[in-house]
mmCIF file of all heavy atoms in Angstrom:
data_model
loop_
_atom_site.group_PDB
_atom_site.id
_atom_site.type_symbol
_atom_site.label_atom_id
_atom_site.label_comp_id
_atom_site.label_asym_id
_atom_site.label_seq_id
_atom_site.Cartn_x
_atom_site.Cartn_y
_atom_site.Cartn_z
ATOM 1 N N ASP A 74 8.129 19.284 39.066
ATOM 2 C CA ASP A 74 9.116 19.832 38.101
ATOM 3 C C ASP A 74 9.729 18.617 37.395
ATOM 4 O O ASP A 74 10.740 18.112 37.996
ATOM 5 C CB ASP A 74 10.114 20.773 38.862
ATOM 6 C CG ASP A 74 11.099 21.418 37.979
ATOM 7 O OD1 ASP A 74 10.986 21.188 36.716
ATOM 8 O OD2 ASP A 74 12.020 22.129 38.435
ATOM 9 N N PRO A 75 9.310 18.228 36.267
ATOM 10 C CA PRO A 75 9.917 17.083 35.528
ATOM 11 C C PRO A 75 11.468 17.266 35.315
ATOM 12 O O PRO A 75 12.098 16.234 35.114
ATOM 13 C CB PRO A 75 9.164 17.069 34.236
ATOM 14 C CG PRO A 75 7.987 17.951 34.343
ATOM 15 C CD PRO A 75 8.321 18.872 35.435
ATOM 16 N N THR A 76 11.996 18.396 35.302
ATOM 17 C CA THR A 76 13.352 18.624 34.946
ATOM 18 C C THR A 76 14.295 18.173 36.105
ATOM 19 O O THR A 76 15.424 17.911 35.937
ATOM 20 C CB THR A 76 13.696 20.118 34.655
ATOM 21 O OG1 THR A 76 13.409 20.918 35.851
ATOM 22 C CG2 THR A 76 12.951 20.604 33.500
ATOM 23 N N ARG A 77 13.629 18.033 37.274
ATOM 24 C CA ARG A 77 14.496 17.585 38.419
ATOM 25 C C ARG A 77 14.225 16.055 38.746
ATOM 26 O O ARG A 77 14.675 15.616 39.733
ATOM 27 C CB ARG A 77 14.124 18.469 39.679
ATOM 28 C CG ARG A 77 14.340 19.851 39.461
ATOM 29 C CD ARG A 77 14.297 20.680 40.778
ATOM 30 N NE ARG A 77 14.305 22.031 40.649
ATOM 31 C CZ ARG A 77 15.280 22.796 40.254
ATOM 32 N NH1 ARG A 77 16.457 22.241 40.098
ATOM 33 N NH2 ARG A 77 15.256 24.139 40.213
ATOM 34 N N ASP A 78 13.641 15.407 37.817
ATOM 35 C CA ASP A 78 13.316 13.914 38.034
ATOM 36 C C ASP A 78 14.673 13.210 37.967
ATOM 37 O O ASP A 78 15.330 13.312 36.954
ATOM 38 C CB ASP A 78 12.433 13.552 37.008
ATOM 39 C CG ASP A 78 11.811 12.069 37.271
ATOM 40 O OD1 ASP A 78 12.326 11.446 38.195
ATOM 41 O OD2 ASP A 78 10.911 11.733 36.551
ATOM 42 N N LYS A 79 14.943 12.480 39.046
ATOM 43 C CA LYS A 79 16.302 11.788 39.145
ATOM 44 C C LYS A 79 16.356 10.602 38.087
ATOM 45 O O LYS A 79 17.384 10.151 37.788
ATOM 46 C CB LYS A 79 16.448 11.216 40.528
ATOM 47 C CG LYS A 79 16.595 12.265 41.599
ATOM 48 C CD LYS A 79 17.738 13.130 41.323
ATOM 49 C CE LYS A 79 17.839 14.262 42.318
ATOM 50 N NZ LYS A 79 18.761 15.333 42.023
ATOM 51 N N LYS A 80 15.169 10.176 37.599
ATOM 52 C CA LYS A 80 15.162 9.039 36.600
ATOM 53 C C LYS A 80 15.843 9.502 35.337
ATOM 54 O O LYS A 80 16.443 8.628 34.626
ATOM 55 C CB LYS A 80 13.696 8.745 36.303
ATOM 56 C CG LYS A 80 13.582 7.460 35.582
ATOM 57 C CD LYS A 80 12.273 6.882 35.708
ATOM 58 C CE LYS A 80 11.181 7.659 35.017
ATOM 59 N NZ LYS A 80 9.768 6.956 34.878
ATOM 60 N N TYR A 81 15.869 10.760 35.060
ATOM 61 C CA TYR A 81 16.515 11.263 33.832
ATOM 62 C C TYR A 81 17.739 12.111 34.091
ATOM 63 O O TYR A 81 17.876 13.146 33.386
ATOM 64 C CB TYR A 81 15.395 11.995 32.976
ATOM 65 C CG TYR A 81 14.261 11.141 32.677
ATOM 66 C CD1 TYR A 81 13.037 11.409 33.318
ATOM 67 C CD2 TYR A 81 14.235 10.113 31.849
ATOM 68 C CE1 TYR A 81 11.826 10.673 33.154
ATOM 69 C CE2 TYR A 81 13.211 9.320 31.524
ATOM 70 C CZ TYR A 81 11.971 9.606 32.219
ATOM 71 O OH TYR A 81 10.931 8.886 31.931
ATOM 72 N N ASN A 82 18.476 11.772 35.055
ATOM 73 C CA ASN A 82 19.593 12.566 35.447
ATOM 74 C C ASN A 82 20.830 12.473 34.426
ATOM 75 O O ASN A 82 21.226 11.417 34.140
ATOM 76 C CB ASN A 82 20.030 12.104 36.806
ATOM 77 C CG ASN A 82 21.041 13.013 37.482
ATOM 78 O OD1 ASN A 82 21.281 14.114 37.040
ATOM 79 N ND2 ASN A 82 21.645 12.545 38.521
ATOM 80 N N GLU A 83 21.177 13.763 33.930
ATOM 81 C CA GLU A 83 22.275 13.770 33.028
ATOM 82 C C GLU A 83 23.160 15.008 33.583
ATOM 83 O O GLU A 83 22.688 16.146 33.569
ATOM 84 C CB GLU A 83 21.882 13.943 31.583
ATOM 85 C CG GLU A 83 21.341 12.807 30.899
ATOM 86 C CD GLU A 83 21.185 12.906 29.422
ATOM 87 O OE1 GLU A 83 22.258 13.419 28.739
ATOM 88 O OE2 GLU A 83 20.150 12.548 28.947
ATOM 89 N N ALA A 84 24.433 14.677 33.932
ATOM 90 C CA ALA A 84 25.229 15.730 34.610
ATOM 91 C C ALA A 84 25.504 16.858 33.684
ATOM 92 O O ALA A 84 25.369 18.083 34.126
ATOM 93 C CB ALA A 84 26.568 15.018 34.984
ATOM 94 N N ILE A 85 25.794 16.734 32.403
ATOM 95 C CA ILE A 85 26.049 17.803 31.508
ATOM 96 C C ILE A 85 24.849 18.678 31.283
ATOM 97 O O ILE A 85 24.898 19.913 31.407
ATOM 98 C CB ILE A 85 26.651 17.373 30.142
ATOM 99 C CG1 ILE A 85 27.911 16.615 30.361
ATOM 100 C CG2 ILE A 85 26.751 18.413 29.158
ATOM 101 C CD1 ILE A 85 28.471 15.879 29.107
#
Side-chain angles (χ1 to χ4, degrees):
D74 185 2
T76 61
R77 301 193 190 287
D78 192 351
K79 299 297 180 193
K80 190 164 68 171
Y81 304 108
N82 191 10
E83 286 192 47
I85 295 171

